[in-house]
């Protein structure tokens, strides 16, 4: 059973082991991969640390039946046999009961990876070696809640992961290390997130000795705030596609919003025999830029089907090739299956 607040004896938490006490904070599946790396590293015979406690988001309704489920991090910890009374799930990290129990652990270091909660100064003052965050961007670029999504949306060609100390200002702490990655023009946000947090966990394990001995804080690089960019949280309202925009902009958005909230579009379905029309809403799953369009080949609002994909004219004389779609309440299908389901009806963009 996961407890929101845990009571335990200080003598039980203050073991005679000389290993450093590390507390991990994270919530989604990508965080669970980092926790797994920490568990594995801590099990090594020459490990400098042990995972003393875990802090994660409270259980929530995450499946169709709205059954209350622990966060992926909490579930992974339980599956690995981690004590349930050392998994904290405060609603806010500044709650006094939580801070009291957390301080009783006497943590040397906290590591955060997509925890999803603001850490107050009272929290940050507790671990003797500070709090280090794995952030999936090349700080000071893309500070905020959605760095990977905003990176893909902007169509940049290079990103990376940063290991930085946590301060009260958003993602603005000194950077210990970075790892750069070239972005493929087809990669989607969930895959890029997995890649960056995998790299981040390796970077963290490599840097832990210098973090524990204090040398990392001495060489950490202060961020240049004048070069900072923001990556605000994505809203469902942003998910709609407007085909008046350039195809590259739309393709980047499809990649960026994959997973959640996805991207949606409305198209007009016309029956050529009766002239009747209806509007359908589609979730656009996969796309690429279509390079074969010529203005004389397609009417401004026509949607073509060619070589297994839907071709939709976009702004600036560009076109988007849609490879996979999903109707509300249905499973995702490729463009060929969707086109066959139209049974001769025509598609036009709105």
């Amino acid at each position: 059973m996961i407890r929101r607040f845990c009571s335990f004896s200080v003598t039980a938490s203050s073991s005679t082991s000389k290993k450093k006490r590390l507390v991990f904070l994270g919530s989604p599946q990508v965080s669970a991969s980092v926790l797994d790396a920490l568990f594995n590293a801590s099990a090594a015979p020459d490990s400098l640390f042990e995972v003393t406690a875990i802090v994660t988001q409270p259980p929530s309704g995450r499946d169709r039946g709205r059954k209350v489920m622990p966060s992926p991090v909490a579930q992974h910890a339980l599956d690995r046999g981690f004590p349930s009374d050392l998994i904290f799930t405060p609603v806010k990290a500044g709650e006094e009961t939580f801070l009291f129990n957390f301080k009783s652990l006497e943590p040397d270091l906290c590591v955060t990876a997509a925890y999803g909660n603001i850490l107050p100064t009272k929290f940050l003052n507790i671990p003797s070696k500070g709090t280090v965050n794995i952030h999936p961007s090349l700080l000071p670029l893309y500070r905020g809640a959605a760095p990977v999504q905003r990176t893909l949306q902007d169509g940049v060609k290079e990103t990376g992961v940063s290991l930085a100390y946590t301060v009260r200002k958003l993602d603005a702490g000194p950077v210990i290390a970075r790892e750069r990655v070239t972005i493929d023009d087809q990669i989607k946000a969930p895959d890029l997130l997995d890649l960056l947090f995998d790299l981040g966990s390796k970077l963290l394990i490599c840097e832990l000795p210098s973090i524990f001995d204090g040398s990392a804080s001495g060489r950490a690089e202060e961020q240049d705030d004048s070069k900072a960019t923001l990556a605000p949280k994505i809203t469902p309202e942003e998910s709609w596609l407007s085909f008046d925009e350039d195809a590259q902009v739309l393709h980047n958005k499809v990649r960026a919003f994959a997973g959640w909230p996805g991207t949606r579009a409305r198209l007009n379905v016309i029956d050529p025999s009766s002239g009747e029309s209806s509007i359908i809403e589609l979730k656009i799953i996969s796309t690429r830029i279509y390079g074969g369009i010529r203005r004389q080949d397609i009417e401004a609002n026509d949607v073509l089907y060619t070589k297994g994909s839907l071709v939709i004219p976009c702004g600036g004389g560009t076109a988007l090739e849609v490879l996979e779609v999903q109707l509300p309440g249905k499973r995702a299908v490729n463009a060929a299956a969707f086109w066959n389901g139209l049974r001769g009806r025509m598609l036009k963009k709105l």
Side-chain angles (χ1 to χ4, degrees), residues 108-130:
D108 293 295
L109 177 69
C110 288
V111 171
T112 63
Y115 170 44
N117 212 333
I118 296 172
L119 300 178
T121 301
K122 286 183 179 180
F123 179 99
L124 297 175
N125 287 339
I126 292 174
S128 59
K129 297 298 181 180

Side-chain angles (χ1 to χ4, degrees), residues 51-72:
V51 179
T52 303
I54 293 165
V55 185
T56 188
Q57 292 284 1
S60 62
R62 289 188 287 113
D63 60 8
R64 289 186 178 181
R66 306 306 295 169
K67 182 180 179 181
V68 176
M69 301 285 289
S71 75

Side-chain angles (χ1 to χ4, degrees), residues 224-245:
D224 184 347
D225 288 347
S226 68
K227 296 180 180 179
T229 59
L230 296 180
K233 183 179 179 179
I234 291 170
T235 64
E237 291 74 23
E238 294 181 79
S239 66
W240 289 103
L241 298 181
S242 170
F243 295 111
D244 292 334
E245 293 186 285

Side-chain angles (χ1 to χ4, degrees), residues 33-45 47 49 51 76 80 205:
S33 68
V34 179
L35 177 60
D36 196 57
L38 287 169
F39 277 148
N40 293 338
S42 68
S47 172
F49 72 96
V51 179
H76 183 74
R80 290 280 304 240
I205 300 302

Side-chain angles (χ1 to χ4, degrees), residues 1-280:
M1 173 179 170
I2 300 172
R3 300 181 183 175
R4 180 156 297 174
F5 301 115
C6 310
S7 297
F8 45 85
S9 66
V10 175
T11 55
S13 63
S14 302
S15 70
T16 56
S17 169
K18 293 183 180 179
K19 288 188 175 184
K20 301 293 185 181
R21 294 177 293 277
L22 185 151
V23 175
F24 179 76
L25 297 90
S27 298
Q29 190 60 48
V30 288
S31 306
S33 68
V34 179
L35 177 60
D36 196 57
L38 287 169
F39 277 148
N40 293 338
S42 68
D46 59 347
S47 172
L48 298 172
F49 72 96
E50 61 187 2
V51 179
T52 303
I54 293 165
V55 185
T56 188
Q57 292 284 1
S60 62
R62 289 188 287 113
D63 60 8
R64 289 186 178 181
R66 306 306 295 169
K67 182 180 179 181
V68 176
M69 301 285 289
S71 75
V73 159
Q75 187 61 59
H76 183 74
L78 293 170
D79 291 345
R80 290 280 304 240
F82 194 81
S84 62
D85 62 345
L86 293 176
I87 301 175
F88 294 80
T89 59
V91 175
K92 294 184 178 180
E95 295 174 9
E96 291 300 325
T97 305
F98 163 67
L99 288 175
F100 175 81
N101 288 328
F102 175 64
K103 189 174 182 178
S104 299
L105 289 166
E106 299 180 352
D108 293 295
L109 177 69
C110 288
V111 171
T112 63
Y115 170 44
N117 212 333
I118 296 172
L119 300 178
T121 301
K122 286 183 179 180
F123 179 99
L124 297 175
N125 287 339
I126 292 174
S128 59
K129 297 298 181 180
T131 297
V132 171
N133 180 45
I134 297 175
H135 186 79
S137 81
L138 297 173
L139 291 172
L141 302 179
Y142 296 100
R143 295 175 178 174
V148 169
Q149 293 90 335
R150 299 303 183 185
T151 293
L152 291 176
Q153 188 179 10
D154 288 349
V156 300
K157 302 300 182 184
E158 183 184 64
T159 187
V161 62
S162 302
L163 196 62
Y165 285 104
T166 300
V167 296
R168 280 293 291 154
K169 187 175 179 181
L170 180 66
D171 297 325
V175 177
I176 299 167
R178 296 182 184 88
E179 186 80 24
R180 295 179 179 272
V181 174
T182 300
I183 301 177
D184 180 271
D185 64 1
Q186 289 296 124
I187 195 169
K188 296 179 181 179
D191 295 327
L192 185 55
L193 272 167
D194 287 344
L195 172 63
L196 293 178
F197 276 99
D198 180 62
L199 289 174
S201 63
K202 292 180 172 64
L203 196 62
L204 171 67
I205 300 302
C206 180
E207 295 291 341
L208 276 177
S210 67
I211 295 171
F212 285 129
D213 69 23
S215 60
S217 62
R219 61 177 169 80
E221 173 190 320
E222 294 290 339
Q223 295 187 43
D224 184 347
D225 288 347
S226 68
K227 296 180 180 179
T229 59
L230 296 180
K233 183 179 179 179
I234 291 170
T235 64
E237 291 74 23
E238 294 181 79
S239 66
W240 289 103
L241 298 181
S242 170
F243 295 111
D244 292 334
E245 293 186 285
D246 187 280
Q248 186 67 62
V249 172
L250 300 179
H251 174 60
N252 290 341
K253 193 171 184 179
V254 170
R255 297 161 58 214
F257 291 12
W260 191 92
T263 45
R264 296 176 291 169
R266 291 189 179 99
L267 294 173
N268 199 9
V269 180
I270 300 172
D271 187 332
S273 61
S274 66
E276 293 182 354
S277 66
S278 60
I279 295 173
I280 60 170

